Amino acid sequence: MWIQGEEYISSKRASELSGYAQDYVGQLARKGLITAQRVGGLWFVSMASLTEHKSHADTYVPQLPE
């Protein structure tokens, strides 16, 4: 699906491609951490923004409290 010149895929398809749970993809969309649009009650996400988010998340190293 194309919205404003950008390609979006369903959250279900995005979860299959990314390895994230569909609920987690929706959570990222609701928080505005990825580019997404809600259409007819379903989330459609930009796979490019999800891939970028995933690359940053994969390199995250938690810091222990002092």
Side-chain angles (χ1 to χ4, degrees), residues 4-46:
Q4 298 174 349
E6 190 169 350
E7 186 177 10
Y8 289 80
I9 60 174
S10 70
S11 60
K12 180 178 181 178
R13 182 72 178 135
S15 71
E16 292 168 356
L17 294 173
S18 68
Y20 285 152
Q22 186 176 355
D23 289 342
Y24 184 61
V25 173
Q27 184 179 17
L28 293 173
R30 283 190 299 279
K31 289 183 176 181
L33 297 174
I34 59 173
T35 304
Q37 297 284 325
R38 195 164 174 99
V39 178
L42 301 174
W43 282 107
F44 287 84
V45 303
S46 162

Side-chain angles (χ1 to χ4, degrees), residues 34-60:
I34 59 173
T35 304
Q37 297 284 325
R38 195 164 174 99
V39 178
L42 301 174
W43 282 107
F44 287 84
V45 303
S46 162
M47 193 60 198
S49 72
L50 183 59
T51 302
E52 183 179 340
H53 173 79
K54 187 172 171 76
S55 70
H56 293 303
D58 288 345
T59 61
Y60 174 73

